[in-house]
Amino acid sequence: MDQQLLAKIAQIFEQLQCRLSLLDEGGACLVPHDDTLRPLPDITDENTIATMFGARYLRVPKAGCLLSAPEGTPDDVLRMAKNLIEALVQLSATSGGIGSAYQRILLNELSVAELDAAISEYRIPAQLSRCVLLLHMIQVQGRSARDILSEVIPMSPNDVLIAMDNHTAALIKCTAGMDELEDLKQFAAALQETVQEETGLPLTVGIGDIAQNAGELHQSYRQARRAIEIGRIYREDETIHVYSSLLLERFLADIPPETAAHYHSLLFNRRTSRLFSEEILYTVEMFFRKDLNLSDTARQLYIHRNTLVYRLDKVQRQIGLNLRSFDDAVTFKMLLEMKKCAANKAKKTL
């Protein structure tokens, strides 16, 4: 049983205000989670409530589990909890249920009337701040990303995990208590670490803007998807991509490929090919990463400061750009990135 479903069952238990527990067939407590194994009574009839060691038990066949409550808990409470759990399991297993509704919301496939109907039918929170985190896994080993992630992702009652395709799942994350998108980025980093530890699989995350209501969720999803597309091109060494932090990259991605190729060739051409060796380009890249700080860059490259100055002066003599100047550094960086922009556009035409 996945974490999302268990979180919803925990919410039901809280609403019933009884000390209810859900146990698997081995006696491990799923809700609330507890690794201690409990002895279970032998119950074959799903309608029988058995008592053992001061606790009452009722089988929940559709969930493959047992309900447990302290002795003295009324029968109707146990049976009500059983019916609610089985309804949740059935809803989760139905392809046209709430999962399908959320998927269509994210893909913006619902009219205003259909959206209102889905919100009403599935009790989707209409006015709740949430954000879409798009979770992409390449190596899923015959299982869908959603199935794998549902077993390891910590879920709150208002979080929803939706399968988008075999390699991608969308986590609709409630942002209550989160002050800014930086909190979501930290959450994504912790999520990556958990997935790596539990499954050994890499995870790429795209984060859209916070949506204030259900009608804006599709925008957050589109932004999260775009963040991954752009981030993979312009920030290859990163695996968490925040849409709002990719302003320059989004601008570059919108430049026509012919324009990008033209301006890139003004600086990077046959005449300058000998200058821009792999060593020089790596030096310049590290200089930019270290915010144009000569001492930090030299330490990072394990070279003398004067060697770094010599390389930068060599670039200035041949192309006329002083990379120690902010304006010239920006010009160089923009023209360098134009190559990725043109290449990205070319790939999309294949």
Side-chain angles (χ1 to χ4, degrees):
M1 194 176 298
D2 63 48
Q3 295 297 317
Q4 180 180 346
L5 190 54
L6 292 176
K8 291 182 180 297
I9 292 173
Q11 192 175 29
I12 287 176
F13 288 176
E14 291 178 6
Q15 292 173 347
L16 292 176
Q17 297 182 343
C18 291
R19 290 171 53 198
L20 295 170
S21 301
L22 187 68
L23 312 175
D24 66 16
E25 296 288 356
C29 192
L30 301 176
V31 181
H33 178 71
D34 186 350
D35 292 328
T36 303
L37 297 180
R38 305 183 189 182
L40 300 176
D42 185 15
I43 307 176
T44 56
D45 183 1
E46 65 176 272
N47 296 313
T48 299
I49 297 177
T51 301
M52 181 179 180
F53 300 133
R56 309 193 74 199
Y57 296 88
L58 177 63
R59 185 170 292 281
V60 188
K62 290 184 179 180
C65 301
L66 282 84
L67 266 173
S68 174
E71 193 170 2
T73 303
D75 289 1
D76 59 348
V77 172
L78 279 168
R79 297 191 191 283
M80 180 186 300
K82 170 192 172 183
N83 293 336
L84 290 172
I85 291 172
E86 291 191 331
L88 276 177
V89 172
Q90 182 65 32
L91 183 62
S92 176
T94 303
S95 60
I98 190 170
S100 177
Y102 265 114
Q103 188 181 78
R104 295 188 68 194
I105 289 173
L106 295 182
L107 296 175
N108 198 24
E109 294 179 348
L110 299 179
S111 65
V112 175
E114 289 172 331
L115 175 61
D116 290 341
I119 289 173
S120 176
E121 180 177 357
Y122 298 110
R123 298 183 180 179
I124 296 173
Q127 304 296 327
L128 180 67
S129 295
R130 289 178 290 181
C131 178
V132 175
L133 282 74
L134 196 61
L135 313 175
H136 184 77
M137 305 176 73
I138 296 177
Q139 302 170 342
V140 293
Q141 301 176 344
R143 302 177 63 198
S144 72
R146 194 266 178 198
D147 288 343
I148 295 173
L149 294 170
S150 66
E151 297 174 355
V152 297
I153 291 180
M155 303 279 289
S156 69
N158 286 318
D159 293 345
V160 182
L161 185 65
I162 305 298
M164 302 308 295
D165 58 46
N166 195 48
H167 294 278
T168 310
L171 174 61
I172 303 176
K173 176 69 180 171
C174 176
T175 57
M178 293 184 170
D179 296 329
E180 52 190 19
L181 282 170
E182 184 60 32
D183 292 340
L184 283 167
K185 189 172 182 179
Q186 292 176 7
F187 171 82
L191 196 61
Q192 281 184 327
E193 184 177 352
T194 299
V195 172
Q196 183 66 40
E197 290 177 354
E198 295 292 332
T199 70
L201 300 175
L203 180 69
T204 301
V205 183
I207 304 177
D209 292 343
I210 293 175
Q212 299 301 326
N213 54 65
E216 295 178 358
L217 284 173
H218 72 92
Q219 297 176 4
S220 184
Y221 167 74
R222 177 178 54 80
Q223 292 164 348
R225 189 178 186 88
R226 187 64 173 152
I228 290 180
E229 292 174 354
I230 294 176
R232 281 176 169 171
I233 298 169
Y234 297 100
R235 300 191 182 183
E236 297 175 288
D237 56 339
E238 298 180 16
T239 55
I240 298 176
H241 306 292
V242 183
Y243 182 78
S244 61
S245 301
L246 296 169
L247 285 173
L248 174 60
E249 292 82 0
R250 284 152 51 191
F251 163 73
L252 291 172
D254 287 338
I255 295 176
E258 299 81 7
T259 303
H262 168 70
Y263 279 97
H264 177 76
S265 66
L266 295 180
L267 191 59
F268 300 91
N269 47 50
R270 288 184 179 181
R271 184 177 60 84
T272 61
S273 60
R274 294 185 63 183
L275 166 65
F276 292 125
S277 63
E278 184 175 336
E279 179 184 61
I280 289 293
L281 288 177
Y282 184 68
T283 298
V284 173
E285 179 185 354
M286 189 57 64
F287 186 53
F288 290 162
R289 287 185 185 180
K290 295 300 178 180
D291 299 324
L292 312 187
N293 187 298
L294 290 170
S295 299
D296 287 351
T297 305
R299 280 194 294 269
Q300 185 66 37
L301 294 173
Y302 298 101
I303 61 176
H304 194 277
R305 191 175 187 273
N306 290 342
T307 302
L308 174 59
V309 171
Y310 170 78
R311 292 179 184 176
L312 297 177
D313 286 345
K314 183 179 179 181
V315 172
Q316 183 178 4
R317 286 195 303 271
Q318 294 201 34
I319 66 172
L321 293 178
N322 178 12
L323 300 186
R324 283 168 284 183
S325 163
F326 176 77
D327 287 347
D328 285 357
V330 170
T331 300
F332 185 95
K333 177 67 173 177
M334 292 281 285
L335 295 179
L336 177 63
E337 294 296 305
M338 290 295 177
K339 179 179 181 180
K340 296 179 182 178
C341 177
N344 174 46
K345 298 288 184 176
K347 288 179 182 178
K348 289 188 175 182
T349 62
L350 296 180

Short mmCIF file of all heavy atoms in Angstrom, two decimals, residues 2 8 16 31 59 67 109 122 170 198 234 237 247 279 282 284 289-290 297 315:
data_model
loop_
_atom_site.label_atom_id
_atom_site.label_comp_id
_atom_site.label_asym_id
_atom_site.label_seq_id
_atom_site.Cartn_x
_atom_site.Cartn_y
_atom_site.Cartn_z
N ASP A 2 0.63 2.20 -0.91
CA ASP A 2 1.53 3.32 -1.04
C ASP A 2 1.32 4.36 0.07
O ASP A 2 0.31 4.38 0.77
CB ASP A 2 1.42 3.97 -2.43
CG ASP A 2 0.05 4.56 -2.69
OD1 ASP A 2 -0.46 5.29 -1.83
OD2 ASP A 2 -0.51 4.30 -3.78
N LYS A 8 -3.90 9.15 3.77
CA LYS A 8 -5.34 9.42 3.78
C LYS A 8 -6.05 8.57 4.84
O LYS A 8 -7.01 9.04 5.48
CB LYS A 8 -5.92 9.14 2.39
CG LYS A 8 -5.47 10.13 1.32
CD LYS A 8 -6.12 9.83 -0.01
CE LYS A 8 -5.65 10.83 -1.07
NZ LYS A 8 -6.03 12.21 -0.75
N LEU A 16 -12.14 10.17 13.04
CA LEU A 16 -12.99 9.29 13.85
C LEU A 16 -12.68 9.42 15.34
O LEU A 16 -13.45 8.97 16.19
CB LEU A 16 -12.82 7.84 13.41
CG LEU A 16 -13.36 7.50 12.01
CD1 LEU A 16 -13.04 6.05 11.65
CD2 LEU A 16 -14.87 7.74 11.94
N VAL A 31 -0.42 2.06 10.02
CA VAL A 31 -0.94 3.36 10.47
C VAL A 31 -1.37 3.22 11.92
O VAL A 31 -2.27 2.44 12.23
CB VAL A 31 -2.16 3.81 9.63
CG1 VAL A 31 -2.65 5.16 10.12
CG2 VAL A 31 -1.82 3.87 8.16
N ARG A 59 -11.05 -7.71 9.80
CA ARG A 59 -10.33 -7.84 8.54
C ARG A 59 -10.88 -6.86 7.49
O ARG A 59 -12.08 -6.61 7.42
CB ARG A 59 -10.45 -9.28 8.02
CG ARG A 59 -9.64 -9.56 6.76
CD ARG A 59 -9.61 -11.04 6.46
NE ARG A 59 -8.84 -11.77 7.46
CZ ARG A 59 -7.51 -11.81 7.50
NH1 ARG A 59 -6.81 -11.15 6.57
NH2 ARG A 59 -6.89 -12.50 8.42
N LEU A 67 -7.87 -4.15 10.76
CA LEU A 67 -8.09 -3.00 11.63
C LEU A 67 -7.93 -3.45 13.07
O LEU A 67 -8.36 -4.56 13.44
CB LEU A 67 -9.48 -2.43 11.43
CG LEU A 67 -9.67 -1.28 10.46
CD1 LEU A 67 -11.15 -0.98 10.28
CD2 LEU A 67 -8.95 -0.03 10.96
N GLU A 109 -6.90 19.95 -19.40
CA GLU A 109 -7.85 19.34 -20.33
C GLU A 109 -9.30 19.53 -19.90
O GLU A 109 -10.21 19.03 -20.57
CB GLU A 109 -7.56 17.83 -20.44
CG GLU A 109 -6.22 17.52 -21.09
CD GLU A 109 -5.93 16.02 -21.18
OE1 GLU A 109 -6.67 15.24 -20.53
OE2 GLU A 109 -4.98 15.65 -21.88
N TYR A 122 -14.63 14.86 -6.25
CA TYR A 122 -13.50 14.21 -5.57
C TYR A 122 -13.01 15.01 -4.37
O TYR A 122 -11.98 14.67 -3.78
CB TYR A 122 -12.35 14.01 -6.57
CG TYR A 122 -12.74 13.11 -7.72
CD1 TYR A 122 -12.90 13.62 -9.01
CD2 TYR A 122 -12.96 11.76 -7.52
CE1 TYR A 122 -13.26 12.80 -10.07
CE2 TYR A 122 -13.33 10.92 -8.57
CZ TYR A 122 -13.47 11.45 -9.84
OH TYR A 122 -13.83 10.63 -10.88
N ALA A 170 4.01 13.51 -10.95
CA ALA A 170 3.85 14.88 -10.48
C ALA A 170 3.42 14.84 -9.02
O ALA A 170 2.40 14.24 -8.67
CB ALA A 170 2.80 15.62 -11.32
N GLU A 198 17.00 4.75 -0.75
CA GLU A 198 16.02 3.66 -0.72
C GLU A 198 16.02 2.82 -2.00
O GLU A 198 15.75 1.62 -1.95
CB GLU A 198 14.62 4.23 -0.48
CG GLU A 198 14.43 4.90 0.87
CD GLU A 198 14.49 3.91 2.02
OE1 GLU A 198 14.15 2.73 1.81
OE2 GLU A 198 14.87 4.32 3.13
N TYR A 234 21.02 24.18 -19.91
CA TYR A 234 21.85 25.28 -19.46
C TYR A 234 22.48 25.07 -18.09
O TYR A 234 23.40 25.80 -17.71
CB TYR A 234 21.03 26.57 -19.45
CG TYR A 234 20.56 26.97 -20.83
CD1 TYR A 234 19.27 26.70 -21.25
CD2 TYR A 234 21.43 27.59 -21.73
CE1 TYR A 234 18.83 27.05 -22.52
CE2 TYR A 234 21.00 27.94 -23.00
CZ TYR A 234 19.71 27.66 -23.39
OH TYR A 234 19.28 28.00 -24.65
N ASP A 237 24.94 20.40 -14.71
CA ASP A 237 25.49 19.81 -13.49
C ASP A 237 24.50 19.83 -12.33
O ASP A 237 24.83 19.39 -11.22
CB ASP A 237 26.77 20.55 -13.07
CG ASP A 237 26.53 22.05 -12.89
OD1 ASP A 237 25.55 22.56 -13.45
OD2 ASP A 237 27.33 22.70 -12.19
N LEU A 247 15.48 32.60 -15.21
CA LEU A 247 15.07 33.74 -16.05
C LEU A 247 15.96 33.90 -17.27
O LEU A 247 15.48 34.02 -18.40
CB LEU A 247 15.08 35.03 -15.22
CG LEU A 247 13.92 35.20 -14.23
CD1 LEU A 247 14.16 36.43 -13.36
CD2 LEU A 247 12.60 35.32 -14.96
N GLU A 279 41.20 23.89 -22.10
CA GLU A 279 41.77 24.46 -20.88
C GLU A 279 41.29 25.89 -20.65
O GLU A 279 40.89 26.27 -19.54
CB GLU A 279 43.30 24.42 -20.95
CG GLU A 279 43.98 25.02 -19.73
CD GLU A 279 45.49 25.05 -19.89
OE1 GLU A 279 45.99 25.73 -20.83
OE2 GLU A 279 46.17 24.42 -19.06
N TYR A 282 37.50 25.99 -19.76
CA TYR A 282 37.27 25.53 -18.39
C TYR A 282 37.71 26.60 -17.38
O TYR A 282 37.06 26.82 -16.35
CB TYR A 282 38.02 24.23 -18.13
CG TYR A 282 37.75 23.65 -16.76
CD1 TYR A 282 36.50 23.14 -16.43
CD2 TYR A 282 38.74 23.65 -15.78
CE1 TYR A 282 36.24 22.61 -15.16
CE2 TYR A 282 38.50 23.13 -14.51
CZ TYR A 282 37.25 22.62 -14.21
OH TYR A 282 36.99 22.13 -12.96
N VAL A 284 37.76 29.88 -17.89
CA VAL A 284 36.77 30.95 -17.92
C VAL A 284 35.49 30.53 -17.19
O VAL A 284 34.90 31.30 -16.42
CB VAL A 284 36.45 31.35 -19.37
CG1 VAL A 284 35.29 32.35 -19.41
CG2 VAL A 284 37.68 31.96 -20.04
N ARG A 289 32.02 30.93 -12.29
CA ARG A 289 31.42 30.26 -11.14
C ARG A 289 31.86 30.89 -9.83
O ARG A 289 31.09 30.92 -8.85
CB ARG A 289 31.79 28.77 -11.13
CG ARG A 289 31.10 27.93 -12.18
CD ARG A 289 31.45 26.46 -11.97
NE ARG A 289 30.91 25.62 -13.02
CZ ARG A 289 31.07 24.29 -13.07
NH1 ARG A 289 31.76 23.68 -12.10
NH2 ARG A 289 30.55 23.58 -14.05
N LYS A 290 33.08 31.38 -9.82
CA LYS A 290 33.62 32.00 -8.60
C LYS A 290 33.39 33.52 -8.58
O LYS A 290 34.09 34.26 -7.88
CB LYS A 290 35.12 31.70 -8.49
CG LYS A 290 35.44 30.22 -8.31
CD LYS A 290 34.80 29.67 -7.04
CE LYS A 290 35.07 28.19 -6.86
NZ LYS A 290 34.44 27.67 -5.61
N THR A 297 39.30 31.46 -7.85
CA THR A 297 39.39 30.67 -9.08
C THR A 297 40.73 29.96 -9.16
O THR A 297 40.80 28.77 -9.51
CB THR A 297 39.20 31.56 -10.31
OG1 THR A 297 37.96 32.27 -10.21
CG2 THR A 297 39.20 30.73 -11.58
N VAL A 315 42.99 36.10 -23.53
CA VAL A 315 41.65 36.21 -24.12
C VAL A 315 41.36 37.65 -24.50
O VAL A 315 40.86 37.94 -25.59
CB VAL A 315 40.59 35.68 -23.13
CG1 VAL A 315 39.17 35.99 -23.65
CG2 VAL A 315 40.75 34.19 -22.89
#
